[in-house]
Amino acid sequence: MQMVRDAVIVLVLIVVIFIASQSCFIVTEWEHAVVTRFGNPVKVVLARVMKKPEYALRLDGVQAQIKAAGVSQIIVGPGIHFKTPFIERVKFFDSRANLYVSQPYDIVTGDKKKIHLDNFALWRIENPLVFWQTVQDDYGARSRLDAFVFSN
């Protein structure tokens, strides 16, 4: 009887630990996160707190855009955050500057000279909700950057 009770206690403890691990997530200081419930955004975590006044104005604009999109909860700051286990999903986005390097290619100018072009761009995600809604991930962003860089 003692052995069965111990097995039940261990099983309950494992289930509690599993549910607790599914209900929290950690956002680092270089990440943003979007929490979705059944595919709809319900919470946005903006990790980087900008101290300069010009960044504060930009952060206010980002928060206004997120509120206008209907998201009920905006959290600014890294740390441990909570979600509903098994119902809500978290998508993380890097908030640091990213380097995009296009494939080098040759073009012919109007005066018939051949030029070897090697383009690059620095980009960063300021509004993770808009990023998630428009391009979904880094691959979608790179394809958009390809179209933009090659068109110019």
Side-chain angles (χ1 to χ4, degrees), residues 98-107 115-123 142 144-152:
N98 296 300
L99 177 65
Y100 165 79
V101 178
S102 69
Q103 294 294 324
Y105 59 97
D106 295 325
I107 63 167
I115 297 177
H116 184 74
L117 290 178
D118 190 13
N119 295 324
F120 72 93
L122 285 174
W123 61 281
R142 287 188 200 331
R144 286 267 181 109
L145 283 169
D146 271 338
F148 182 74
V149 167
F150 285 122
S151 69
N152 290 326

Short mmCIF file of all heavy atoms in Angstrom, two decimals, residues 98-107 115-123 142 144-152:
data_model
loop_
_atom_site.label_atom_id
_atom_site.label_comp_id
_atom_site.label_asym_id
_atom_site.label_seq_id
_atom_site.Cartn_x
_atom_site.Cartn_y
_atom_site.Cartn_z
N ASN A 98 19.99 43.19 -36.74
CA ASN A 98 20.30 42.02 -37.57
C ASN A 98 20.98 42.49 -38.84
O ASN A 98 20.63 43.53 -39.40
CB ASN A 98 19.01 41.27 -37.93
CG ASN A 98 18.34 40.70 -36.72
OD1 ASN A 98 18.92 39.90 -36.02
ND2 ASN A 98 17.11 41.12 -36.46
N LEU A 99 21.91 41.71 -39.33
CA LEU A 99 22.62 42.02 -40.56
C LEU A 99 22.07 41.16 -41.67
O LEU A 99 22.03 39.93 -41.56
CB LEU A 99 24.12 41.78 -40.39
CG LEU A 99 24.98 42.00 -41.63
CD1 LEU A 99 24.94 43.46 -42.05
CD2 LEU A 99 26.40 41.56 -41.37
N TYR A 100 21.63 41.82 -42.73
CA TYR A 100 21.18 41.12 -43.94
C TYR A 100 22.23 41.35 -45.01
O TYR A 100 22.57 42.49 -45.32
CB TYR A 100 19.82 41.66 -44.39
CG TYR A 100 19.47 41.25 -45.79
CD1 TYR A 100 18.99 39.99 -46.06
CD2 TYR A 100 19.65 42.13 -46.85
CE1 TYR A 100 18.69 39.61 -47.35
CE2 TYR A 100 19.35 41.75 -48.14
CZ TYR A 100 18.87 40.49 -48.38
OH TYR A 100 18.56 40.12 -49.65
N VAL A 101 22.75 40.28 -45.58
CA VAL A 101 23.74 40.38 -46.67
C VAL A 101 23.14 39.66 -47.87
O VAL A 101 22.83 38.47 -47.80
CB VAL A 101 25.08 39.73 -46.27
CG1 VAL A 101 26.06 39.80 -47.42
CG2 VAL A 101 25.65 40.40 -45.03
N SER A 102 22.98 40.39 -48.96
CA SER A 102 22.41 39.78 -50.16
C SER A 102 23.49 39.05 -50.95
O SER A 102 24.69 39.26 -50.73
CB SER A 102 21.76 40.85 -51.04
OG SER A 102 22.75 41.68 -51.61
N GLN A 103 23.06 38.24 -51.87
CA GLN A 103 24.00 37.55 -52.74
C GLN A 103 24.63 38.57 -53.69
O GLN A 103 23.92 39.40 -54.25
CB GLN A 103 23.28 36.47 -53.55
CG GLN A 103 22.74 35.34 -52.71
CD GLN A 103 23.87 34.53 -52.08
OE1 GLN A 103 24.92 34.35 -52.68
NE2 GLN A 103 23.64 34.06 -50.88
N PRO A 104 25.94 38.53 -53.87
CA PRO A 104 26.56 39.48 -54.81
C PRO A 104 26.14 39.17 -56.25
O PRO A 104 25.90 38.01 -56.60
CB PRO A 104 28.06 39.25 -54.61
CG PRO A 104 28.18 37.94 -53.95
CD PRO A 104 26.91 37.66 -53.23
N TYR A 105 25.99 40.21 -57.03
CA TYR A 105 25.61 40.03 -58.43
C TYR A 105 26.23 41.14 -59.27
O TYR A 105 26.66 42.16 -58.76
CB TYR A 105 24.08 40.00 -58.58
CG TYR A 105 23.38 41.22 -58.11
CD1 TYR A 105 23.01 42.22 -59.00
CD2 TYR A 105 23.06 41.40 -56.76
CE1 TYR A 105 22.36 43.36 -58.57
CE2 TYR A 105 22.40 42.53 -56.33
CZ TYR A 105 22.06 43.50 -57.24
OH TYR A 105 21.42 44.62 -56.80
N ASP A 106 26.27 40.92 -60.57
CA ASP A 106 26.85 41.86 -61.51
C ASP A 106 25.73 42.56 -62.27
O ASP A 106 24.73 41.93 -62.65
CB ASP A 106 27.76 41.14 -62.51
CG ASP A 106 28.97 40.52 -61.84
OD1 ASP A 106 29.47 41.14 -60.88
OD2 ASP A 106 29.40 39.43 -62.25
N ILE A 107 25.91 43.87 -62.48
CA ILE A 107 24.98 44.62 -63.31
C ILE A 107 25.77 45.39 -64.35
O ILE A 107 26.97 45.63 -64.19
CB ILE A 107 24.09 45.58 -62.49
CG1 ILE A 107 24.94 46.65 -61.81
CG2 ILE A 107 23.25 44.84 -61.48
CD1 ILE A 107 24.11 47.79 -61.26
N ILE A 115 29.50 46.30 -63.14
CA ILE A 115 29.73 46.60 -61.72
C ILE A 115 29.33 45.38 -60.90
O ILE A 115 28.27 44.79 -61.13
CB ILE A 115 28.92 47.82 -61.26
CG1 ILE A 115 29.37 49.06 -62.02
CG2 ILE A 115 29.08 48.05 -59.77
CD1 ILE A 115 28.56 50.28 -61.67
N HIS A 116 30.16 45.03 -59.96
CA HIS A 116 29.88 43.93 -59.04
C HIS A 116 29.26 44.52 -57.76
O HIS A 116 29.92 45.29 -57.06
CB HIS A 116 31.17 43.18 -58.71
CG HIS A 116 30.98 41.98 -57.85
ND1 HIS A 116 30.43 40.82 -58.32
CD2 HIS A 116 31.25 41.78 -56.55
CE1 HIS A 116 30.38 39.94 -57.34
NE2 HIS A 116 30.87 40.50 -56.25
N LEU A 117 28.00 44.19 -57.46
CA LEU A 117 27.30 44.74 -56.30
C LEU A 117 27.20 43.70 -55.19
O LEU A 117 26.90 42.54 -55.43
CB LEU A 117 25.89 45.18 -56.68
CG LEU A 117 25.78 46.41 -57.57
CD1 LEU A 117 24.33 46.67 -57.88
CD2 LEU A 117 26.40 47.60 -56.91
N ASP A 118 27.44 44.18 -53.99
CA ASP A 118 27.31 43.36 -52.79
C ASP A 118 26.58 44.21 -51.77
O ASP A 118 27.18 45.07 -51.12
CB ASP A 118 28.69 42.93 -52.30
CG ASP A 118 28.61 41.89 -51.21
OD1 ASP A 118 27.53 41.32 -51.01
OD2 ASP A 118 29.64 41.64 -50.57
N ASN A 119 25.28 44.00 -51.62
CA ASN A 119 24.45 44.85 -50.75
C ASN A 119 24.34 44.26 -49.34
O ASN A 119 24.41 43.05 -49.16
CB ASN A 119 23.04 44.99 -51.32
CG ASN A 119 23.04 45.71 -52.63
OD1 ASN A 119 23.82 46.63 -52.83
ND2 ASN A 119 22.16 45.31 -53.53
N PHE A 120 24.12 45.15 -48.39
CA PHE A 120 23.81 44.70 -47.04
C PHE A 120 22.86 45.71 -46.41
O PHE A 120 22.73 46.84 -46.86
CB PHE A 120 25.07 44.54 -46.18
CG PHE A 120 25.72 45.83 -45.78
CD1 PHE A 120 25.41 46.43 -44.57
CD2 PHE A 120 26.62 46.46 -46.62
CE1 PHE A 120 25.99 47.61 -44.20
CE2 PHE A 120 27.21 47.65 -46.26
CZ PHE A 120 26.90 48.23 -45.04
N ALA A 121 22.18 45.26 -45.38
CA ALA A 121 21.25 46.13 -44.66
C ALA A 121 21.25 45.74 -43.19
O ALA A 121 21.38 44.56 -42.85
CB ALA A 121 19.84 46.01 -45.24
N LEU A 122 21.11 46.71 -42.32
CA LEU A 122 20.92 46.47 -40.89
C LEU A 122 19.45 46.71 -40.58
O LEU A 122 18.88 47.72 -40.99
CB LEU A 122 21.77 47.43 -40.06
CG LEU A 122 23.25 47.11 -39.99
CD1 LEU A 122 23.99 48.23 -39.27
CD2 LEU A 122 23.50 45.80 -39.28
N TRP A 123 18.83 45.79 -39.88
CA TRP A 123 17.42 45.93 -39.55
C TRP A 123 17.17 45.40 -38.14
O TRP A 123 17.94 44.61 -37.61
CB TRP A 123 16.54 45.22 -40.57
CG TRP A 123 16.76 43.75 -40.66
CD1 TRP A 123 17.76 43.11 -41.31
CD2 TRP A 123 15.96 42.72 -40.06
NE1 TRP A 123 17.64 41.75 -41.17
CE2 TRP A 123 16.54 41.48 -40.42
CE3 TRP A 123 14.81 42.73 -39.28
CZ2 TRP A 123 16.02 40.28 -40.00
CZ3 TRP A 123 14.28 41.53 -38.87
CH2 TRP A 123 14.88 40.31 -39.23
N ARG A 142 13.64 38.16 -44.57
CA ARG A 142 14.71 38.13 -45.56
C ARG A 142 14.16 38.16 -46.99
O ARG A 142 14.73 38.80 -47.87
CB ARG A 142 15.58 36.89 -45.36
CG ARG A 142 16.46 36.97 -44.14
CD ARG A 142 17.43 35.82 -44.09
NE ARG A 142 18.07 35.43 -42.88
CZ ARG A 142 18.41 36.13 -41.83
NH1 ARG A 142 18.12 37.37 -41.77
NH2 ARG A 142 19.03 35.64 -40.80
N ARG A 144 11.37 39.63 -47.90
CA ARG A 144 10.94 41.02 -48.12
C ARG A 144 12.15 41.92 -48.37
O ARG A 144 12.10 42.80 -49.21
CB ARG A 144 10.18 41.54 -46.90
CG ARG A 144 8.81 41.01 -46.74
CD ARG A 144 7.81 41.95 -47.40
NE ARG A 144 6.47 41.47 -47.23
CZ ARG A 144 5.57 42.02 -46.46
NH1 ARG A 144 5.86 43.09 -45.76
NH2 ARG A 144 4.37 41.52 -46.39
N LEU A 145 13.22 41.71 -47.62
CA LEU A 145 14.43 42.50 -47.82
C LEU A 145 15.05 42.22 -49.18
O LEU A 145 15.56 43.13 -49.83
CB LEU A 145 15.44 42.23 -46.70
CG LEU A 145 15.14 42.90 -45.37
CD1 LEU A 145 16.04 42.35 -44.29
CD2 LEU A 145 15.26 44.39 -45.47
N ASP A 146 15.00 40.96 -49.63
CA ASP A 146 15.50 40.64 -50.97
C ASP A 146 14.77 41.47 -52.02
O ASP A 146 15.38 42.07 -52.89
CB ASP A 146 15.31 39.15 -51.28
CG ASP A 146 16.46 38.30 -50.87
OD1 ASP A 146 17.58 38.84 -50.72
OD2 ASP A 146 16.27 37.08 -50.69
N ALA A 147 13.44 41.47 -51.93
CA ALA A 147 12.64 42.21 -52.91
C ALA A 147 12.95 43.71 -52.84
O ALA A 147 13.08 44.36 -53.88
CB ALA A 147 11.16 41.97 -52.66
N PHE A 148 13.11 44.24 -51.65
CA PHE A 148 13.38 45.67 -51.50
C PHE A 148 14.79 46.04 -51.97
O PHE A 148 14.96 47.00 -52.72
CB PHE A 148 13.19 46.07 -50.04
CG PHE A 148 13.41 47.53 -49.80
CD1 PHE A 148 12.49 48.46 -50.19
CD2 PHE A 148 14.56 47.96 -49.16
CE1 PHE A 148 12.70 49.81 -49.98
CE2 PHE A 148 14.79 49.31 -48.94
CZ PHE A 148 13.85 50.23 -49.35
N VAL A 149 15.79 45.27 -51.58
CA VAL A 149 17.18 45.59 -51.93
C VAL A 149 17.40 45.42 -53.43
O VAL A 149 18.04 46.26 -54.06
CB VAL A 149 18.16 44.72 -51.10
CG1 VAL A 149 19.57 44.80 -51.66
CG2 VAL A 149 18.14 45.15 -49.66
N PHE A 150 16.89 44.36 -54.01
CA PHE A 150 17.12 44.13 -55.44
C PHE A 150 16.32 45.09 -56.31
O PHE A 150 16.72 45.38 -57.43
CB PHE A 150 16.82 42.68 -55.83
CG PHE A 150 17.88 41.73 -55.37
CD1 PHE A 150 17.57 40.67 -54.54
CD2 PHE A 150 19.20 41.89 -55.76
CE1 PHE A 150 18.55 39.79 -54.12
CE2 PHE A 150 20.18 41.02 -55.33
CZ PHE A 150 19.85 39.98 -54.52
N SER A 151 15.21 45.62 -55.81
CA SER A 151 14.45 46.57 -56.63
C SER A 151 15.16 47.90 -56.74
O SER A 151 15.01 48.63 -57.71
CB SER A 151 13.06 46.77 -56.04
OG SER A 151 13.13 47.48 -54.82
N ASN A 152 15.93 48.26 -55.74
CA ASN A 152 16.63 49.54 -55.76
C ASN A 152 17.98 49.41 -56.41
O ASN A 152 18.62 50.31 -56.76
CB ASN A 152 16.78 50.09 -54.34
CG ASN A 152 15.45 50.52 -53.78
OD1 ASN A 152 14.62 50.99 -54.51
ND2 ASN A 152 15.24 50.34 -52.50
#
